[in-house]
Amino acid sequence: MIVVTGGAGFIGSNLVHALNLRGETDILVVDNLTNGQKMHNLADLNIADYMDKAEFIAKIEAPDFFKHVRAVFHQGACSATTEWDGHYVMLNNYDYSKRLLNWCASKKIAFLYASSASVYGNGQNGFQVDRSCEHPINMYAYSKFQFDQYIRKVSSGIKSQVAGFRYFNVYGPREQHKGAMSSTIFHFNQQIIDNGRVRLFEGCNGFADGEQQRDFVYVDDVVDVNLWFLDHPEQAGIYNVGTGAAQPFNAVAQAVIDWHGQGDIEYIPFPEHLKGSYQSYTQADISELRQVGYDKNFSDVKEGVSRYLDCLNGNVK
C-alpha cells in the first residue's frame, strides 16, 4: 500500500492520479474533508481507502498499524502563508510530520515529503539547499524549515529513504478548493472571465509594477519528481523542485491573456498585510536534483499555463 497524506488536496490528488495511471490503486488517502469541496479532487480517482487525518494521527504509533505500507507521500499541511496561529501551524506541519517520519523510520518505509521554497524568505542569500540561505519570514515557512532541520539532525540514523521537496510556485489542475491560496494563474483566469482584466500588485521591494518574479512550476512536473524518487529508493536528501528560471508576474498574466485572446492588466496597491512576509523573487537552484540523476525538462510558463487553462476551461477532459 502507498499512503498519500493531503491526498484530497492539490499536489496530493495529482500524485494519486499519476499513481493510478501507473496501475496503482492500493492507496490510502489521508485528509481532512471539513472543506467538502475537496471531494471533487477524489471523485475520478481509484483508491483502496480514505482515513480522516485525526484518526490517522491517533493510530500512527499503534503496533499493528498498516504492516504492508511501502511508501508515504506526506503532502498534508496547513498551507496558508497568511496563518499566524503558531500553535496551530506547528501542530499540523511540524509535530504531525515528526510523528509520521519516526513511524516510517521504525518500519523502514520510504518517506517522501513536501517542504517549501518559502524557507528561503526574501531570497537575499540565494536559493540553495543550505542553512546559510534559509530565513523564513512567515509561520508556514518556519514550520517547514524547522522540520527540514529535524530531518538533518536524525537522517543519519534512518536506514530507509527520506526525501524532502522544496516546492516553488506550483500551479495546475485540482487546486480550485484552495480559494485565496490558489495559484495566480487560477485567479488570473477567473479575472479575465469575470471582467476581462488581470490584477497585479504594484511594484515593491525594488521591483517595478508586476515585475516581481517567481519560479512557477507545473504540478505534473512536481509529481514526476516525486515518482522519480519513489523509483530510486537509493536517493535521499532535501531538494528544490522548480524550473530553475524565475519569471515575472507580468509574463504569467500575459500568458493567460494570450490564451484567452483578450484582456489587459491593472496594477493594484500592494496589500499592507503582506508587507514584510512576501517573497518578491524566487528561483530554484536545481543543481542537486540534476546531480542525483533527475534529467527531465520542466515546462516553462507559456507551455504550462496553456496546458492548465485547456484543462481549467474545459478544453481537455
Side-chain angles (χ1 to χ4, degrees):
M1 174 176 279
I2 294 174
V3 177
V4 182
T5 71
F10 173 32
I11 296 173
S13 61
N14 277 286
L15 266 168
V16 175
H17 179 251
L19 288 166
N20 280 177
L21 292 177
R22 288 180 161 207
E24 299 271 8
T25 58
D26 191 15
I27 301 167
L28 170 67
V29 164
V30 178
D31 212 303
N32 176 354
L33 287 179
T34 298
N35 176 3
Q37 294 297 323
K38 290 197 290 186
M39 59 77 51
H40 294 295
N41 287 340
L42 297 174
D44 63 334
L45 305 179
N46 295 310
I47 63 175
D49 204 357
Y50 169 86
M51 183 176 287
D52 184 80
K53 182 184 77 172
E55 181 184 1
F56 181 72
I57 292 173
K59 290 184 175 181
I60 285 176
E61 280 95 12
D64 297 324
F65 184 62
F66 293 110
K67 292 182 178 179
H68 303 295
V69 174
R70 64 187 178 94
V72 171
F73 289 100
H74 182 41
Q75 308 297 308
C78 167
S79 60
T81 57
T82 54
E83 178 57 71
W84 285 100
D85 184 336
H87 175 76
Y88 173 80
V89 174
M90 292 301 281
L91 192 65
N92 279 274
N93 295 3
Y94 182 63
D95 292 350
Y96 174 25
S97 298
K98 284 202 303 180
R99 292 179 64 184
L100 187 51
L101 167 70
N102 292 333
W103 175 73
C104 287
S106 70
K107 305 279 186 181
K108 295 183 172 60
I109 295 166
F111 182 77
L112 308 167
Y113 74 95
S115 183
S116 170
S118 64
V119 302
Y120 297 117
N122 60 23
Q124 65 182 7
N125 295 321
F127 298 92
Q128 292 179 310
V129 181
D130 186 89
R131 180 66 183 92
S132 65
C133 299
E134 299 159 4
H135 188 81
I137 55 177
N138 57 53
M139 198 60 231
Y140 166 75
Y142 179 75
S143 69
K144 291 295 187 178
F145 159 76
Q146 193 57 47
F147 184 64
D148 284 348
Q149 287 286 79
Y150 182 76
I151 292 289
R152 287 165 168 161
K153 183 177 75 171
V154 304
S155 59
S156 62
I158 297 175
K159 304 305 179 184
S160 51
Q161 182 186 32
V162 178
F165 307 115
R166 290 182 171 174
Y167 300 147
F168 278 67
N169 279 73
V170 188
Y171 65 97
R174 302 178 190 269
E175 64 167 334
Q176 67 286 339
H177 64 281
K178 294 179 66 177
M181 291 296 111
S182 297
S183 72
T184 53
I185 293 91
F186 178 87
H187 290 295
F188 292 169
N189 177 69
Q190 197 59 49
Q191 289 166 10
I192 290 290
I193 292 171
D194 290 345
N195 54 45
R197 179 169 294 177
V198 171
R199 305 176 75 197
L200 298 184
F201 292 152
E202 292 177 345
C204 65
N205 299 327
F207 290 87
D209 293 350
E211 285 298 302
Q212 300 92 336
Q213 298 179 47
R214 297 279 182 87
D215 191 330
F216 296 94
V217 56
Y218 193 61
V219 69
D220 287 358
D221 295 332
V222 168
V223 167
D224 194 74
V225 170
N226 275 267
L227 296 183
W228 187 89
F229 276 84
L230 178 68
D231 295 338
H232 294 79
E234 73 281 4
Q235 301 296 346
I238 301 172
Y239 300 90
N240 287 329
V241 180
T243 67
Q247 294 186 265
F249 283 91
N250 279 326
V252 178
Q254 193 58 54
V256 175
I257 290 169
D258 289 347
W259 188 93
H260 282 277
Q262 62 177 348
D264 54 22
I265 297 173
E266 173 189 3
Y267 297 106
I268 62 174
F270 191 86
E272 286 292 329
H273 73 278
L274 292 180
K275 290 181 178 178
S277 60
Y278 182 81
Q279 289 180 300
S280 293
Y281 177 85
T282 65
Q283 179 171 283
D285 180 331
I286 58 174
S287 57
E288 292 185 13
L289 193 62
R290 297 308 193 197
Q291 287 169 12
V292 297
Y294 187 83
D295 58 3
K296 295 184 180 179
N297 293 326
F298 290 87
S299 302
D300 63 19
V301 159
K302 186 175 181 180
E303 178 188 356
V305 167
S306 180
R307 289 169 60 192
Y308 182 24
L309 296 191
D310 281 346
C311 178
L312 192 60
N313 295 306
N315 291 33
V316 176
K317 293 184 179 181

